[in-house]
Amino acid sequence: MTRFASTFAKSQTALVAFITAGDGDTAANLDALVAGGADVIELGMPFTDPMADGPAIQAANLRSLAKGTTTADIFAMATAFRQRHPDVPLVLMGYANPMTIRGADWFAAKCAKAGVDGVICVDIPSEEDAELGPSLRAAGVDLIRLATPTTDPARLPAVLTGAGGFLYYVSVAGITGLQQAAQASIEEAVTRLKAATDLPVAVGFGVRTPEQAAQIARVADGVVVGSAFIDIIAEHGDAAAPHVEAFTRTLADAIHGAKEIAA
Amino acid sequence: MTNLTNSLRTQPDERGHFGPFGGRYVAETLMPLILDLEREYRAAQADPAFKAEFDDLLKNYVGRPSPLWFARRLTEHLGGAKIYLKREDLNHTGAHKINNCIGQILLARRMGKQKIIAETGAGQHGVATATVAALFGLPCTIFMGAVDVARQQPNVFRMKLLGAEVVAVESGAKTLKDAMNEALRHWVANVHDTFYIIGTVAGPHPYPELVRDFQSVIGDEAKAQILEAEGRLPDMLIAPVGGGSNAIGLFHPFLDDAEVEIVGVEAAGEGLDKKHAASLAGGRPGILHGNKTYLLQDEDGQITEAHSISAGLDYPGIGPEHSWLHDIGRVRYEPVTDDEALASFQKLTKLEGIIPALESAHAIAAAERIAPTLGKDRIIIVNCSGRGDKDIFTVADALGVRL
């Protein structure tokens, strides 16, 4: 059973936590996420031009790059994480150019070697799958696809073809960390997506509080939180880990208990 | 003459690829919209009423056809090939940019979009977009890097006079590429009612194709004009290339005329070993802003800052069709530095009474280099893509003159 499968096989909803690699003390923050109860880790690969990200994650990308974070550094962080946490699924999330610049096969092999379970590439839609998807799948790394409010039923099968790990539902047509989607629209979308795929469905974009997360957790298999963690790291810098862990715990408690309350 | 199977004018393929370049590298949120745009563009291409309205606006609003001017004094000064200037600087708003904006706003209206957005570097595309938005009474938001806002105040004021909102982009390096990032972010959040008028032959398919098609009026006219003036095709075309919309507009109708040599001019800034904006000479293929093309970047694929004295060429990428034409060798791309462009800016002004845009001055500089090596019976067409009034402050500053 893959790490994704065993994580999402649990009866409780998963907390999927995002931080940007190289922003603050990444190793300490990753450990804090796991200690606080995060179930899946998304490690952001910084890029100079993060077109789908809001102000918080844009700033995190720039802070990381200003410190000189390289792709080699990110794989070193991933490798070390896998040694410390053998069972926690790890996803690399980022943009196409840093992932493909040395060739998709190179990137896929590095992911596999580092123990990365899945990859989310913001700007490779299913139409351009050949750029990265075949290499990842051949290396046994899941390509996690995004579905959005604009993904209509006619497109959905194409989005799902070749998708693995889980399906990431971007709940707002917009950028990360800003507006929040209406709960009713999320429920409708998750129901529709789950009817079309056996993949677990995680919901993200604009989720910042335990209350929001708990609401979404009643219907989704996973809840993704990113910008709220980035804000904590921006505020506390290299000493953010205890704050990250405390916030993770409040989110995890809210998310993990959501389905029991609903039932 | 033109064998379709061997034609260089049939790109891109149905997936928007020019050889290995181009494509649709966008977030899933935008994918349905650019598929819609492509469908609507195909419908517009098949609709004679669309072409009729486009042609009418180009003629009566933009002032086309733009003249093809024989630059007699420049030709005599250089002592070689005859140089003709395609006078895009005489268009309404002072550059070729308006051709594309007219076409795209007609598409926006067909699609029922009520709001217009655009990115701009120096402000020329922003002014052209604000102009057509005013003409059709649509609200318009222009994204412009904060650094560019500070150094291009006259154009910022023009856009505001035209009724546009100008958003100063504070992210990244606060120049053109960051303005494009921010326009894409705004678009993702407003896809239901907003049309993004991209200013050059870059971005996701179908933008590079449709911008090229709207700009091809430049080459179509030039071909007819040179046949009338000289009774034959030119020996060479020269145009400046940033994103490359004026260049592809001139080049495309001539791509299958093998006897016509084609030269694109990249901005070499302070020199190719220093800060520059020459994506082909100094970059590698990569993915940015929705397409695969040559980019200035480091070994990890992080985009590096471009530099050119010409704000319109100050971009770390280039349109994907240019990348393809470069790789197959149909077009030769040459670098021209800031200093060379500055010298040609002044030379053309003094010899022909035409103040060219700094972008166009790059092409003039290449013509100065090449024309003396060719016989007097040879013919070169240079694209004078815009007028230089917008650049007088930059030029004065570079020459140490206080205005």
Side-chain angles (χ1 to χ4, degrees), chain B residues 241-316:
Chain B
V241 182
S245 69
N246 87 80
I248 209 78
L250 176 65
F251 297 168
H252 198 258
F254 291 92
L255 287 180
D256 287 334
D257 301 309
E259 67 272 36
V260 180
E261 202 176 334
I262 306 182
V263 177
V265 182
E266 288 197 290
E270 297 172 0
L272 289 179
D273 54 342
K274 302 196 186 80
K275 292 193 295 177
H276 64 84
S279 311
L280 293 174
R284 292 186 291 150
I287 297 166
L288 180 70
H289 291 154
N291 65 131
K292 183 187 277 191
T293 192
Y294 278 81
L295 300 170
L296 299 180
Q297 56 185 318
D298 70 13
E299 58 179 14
D300 272 350
Q302 305 294 350
I303 308 304
T304 51
E305 294 298 326
H307 165 79
S308 168
I309 191 172
S310 153
L313 304 180
D314 197 350
Y315 178 72

Side-chain angles (χ1 to χ4, degrees), chain A residues 1-23:
Chain A
M1 200 181 231
T2 67
R3 293 188 193 96
F4 283 132
S6 41
T7 298
F8 286 105
K10 294 176 190 163
S11 61
Q12 62 189 27
T13 305
L15 168 59
V16 182
F18 172 96
I19 62 171
T20 298
D23 178 32

Side-chain angles (χ1 to χ4, degrees), chain A residues 64-128:
Chain A
S64 174
L65 292 173
K67 280 168 58 183
T69 305
T70 65
T71 300
D73 295 336
I74 295 164
F75 279 118
M77 291 175 204
T79 303
F81 175 87
R82 179 53 66 231
Q83 283 162 1
R84 296 197 306 276
H85 305 286
D87 302 324
V88 181
L90 178 66
V91 174
L92 288 184
M93 178 166 187
Y95 292 83
N97 204 46
M99 290 183 181
T100 58
I101 191 65
R102 293 181 176 89
D105 287 342
W106 181 89
F107 182 74
K110 290 295 277 189
C111 285
K113 188 153 179 262
V116 169
D117 302 281
V119 168
I120 301 173
C121 184
V122 174
D123 51 348
I124 296 190
S126 52
E127 279 77 0
E128 302 291 352

Side-chain angles (χ1 to χ4, degrees), chain B residues 200-236:
Chain B
T200 191
V201 283
H205 177 67
Y207 279 103
E209 178 187 347
L210 66 87
V211 175
R212 174 199 72 199
D213 292 349
F214 294 141
Q215 291 292 4
S216 289
V217 64
I218 301 171
D220 286 334
E221 284 177 7
K223 201 174 212 181
Q225 288 165 322
I226 199 70
L227 286 173
E228 190 185 334
E230 296 280 353
R232 69 177 183 88
L233 292 177
D235 298 288
M236 184 181 287

Side-chain angles (χ1 to χ4, degrees), chain B residues 52-103:
Chain B
E53 191 173 12
F54 179 65
D55 290 347
D56 177 71
L57 284 162
L58 287 187
K59 176 168 182 252
N60 295 307
Y61 187 69
V62 175
R64 303 202 71 93
S66 68
L68 185 70
W69 169 250
F70 173 48
R72 186 180 311 277
R73 294 194 67 216
L74 179 66
T75 298
E76 286 169 2
H77 172 80
L78 296 174
K82 294 174 80 169
I83 296 175
Y84 283 83
L85 301 178
K86 181 60 174 164
R87 299 291 309 277
E88 291 299 297
D89 57 309
L90 292 177
N91 293 338
H92 180 43
T93 71
H96 69 289
K97 292 288 186 188
I98 190 85
N99 305 326
N100 166 50
C101 290
I102 294 276

